[in-house]
Amino acid sequence: MSVSEVACTYAALILWDDGIPVTGEKISTLVKAANVPIEAYWPGLFARLLEKRNIEDLLLSVGSGGGGAAAPIAAAPGGGGGAAAAEAAPAVEEKKEEPKEESDEDMGFSLFD
């Protein structure tokens, strides 16, 4: 992120936190008051983006993106309905053996020798 983007982000968050509508002019005013030089198009871009998005939703979804979706549940063969699905066997968990960590004793020396 550039300095301009960060400055506009903080300005938008300040405005939102104070309950002030986020506009390009207000973002620009805050950034100028902080003596941060930015390109003239950044405040308008941020204001237009935040018109369409809820800032609270953006804040709450930080770090939760990507990662793939849950595996779909396969339908029971024969279309038996809910009873067949309820009788399905539970999934068996595969146990992964973790490699045993070597201790100092295994290497022939210790910390206090």
Side-chain angles (χ1 to χ4, degrees):
M1 265 183 138
S2 70
V3 173
S4 300
E5 290 174 272
V6 172
C8 289
T9 301
Y10 286 143
L13 288 172
I14 289 169
L15 291 170
W16 173 78
D17 190 47
D18 286 343
I20 301 170
V22 179
T23 64
E25 295 83 25
K26 291 182 181 178
I27 291 174
S28 182
T29 302
L30 271 176
V31 171
K32 285 179 185 175
N35 293 324
V36 178
I38 63 168
E39 292 85 7
Y41 60 87
W42 282 115
L45 273 173
F46 272 81
R48 281 192 300 258
L49 169 78
L50 297 174
E51 283 176 357
K52 300 174 185 172
R53 298 277 179 120
N54 183 355
I55 295 176
E56 186 172 0
D57 291 341
L58 290 173
L59 288 173
L60 294 176
S61 67
V62 171
S64 65
I73 299 173
E87 295 175 6
V92 178
E93 292 183 25
E94 294 182 28
K95 294 182 180 179
K96 295 181 181 179
E97 292 186 25
E98 295 181 16
K100 193 173 186 180
E101 292 185 22
E102 295 182 17
S103 67
D104 291 342
E105 295 170 359
D106 295 340
M107 294 182 202
F109 64 91
S110 70
L111 183 62
F112 299 108
D113 281 343

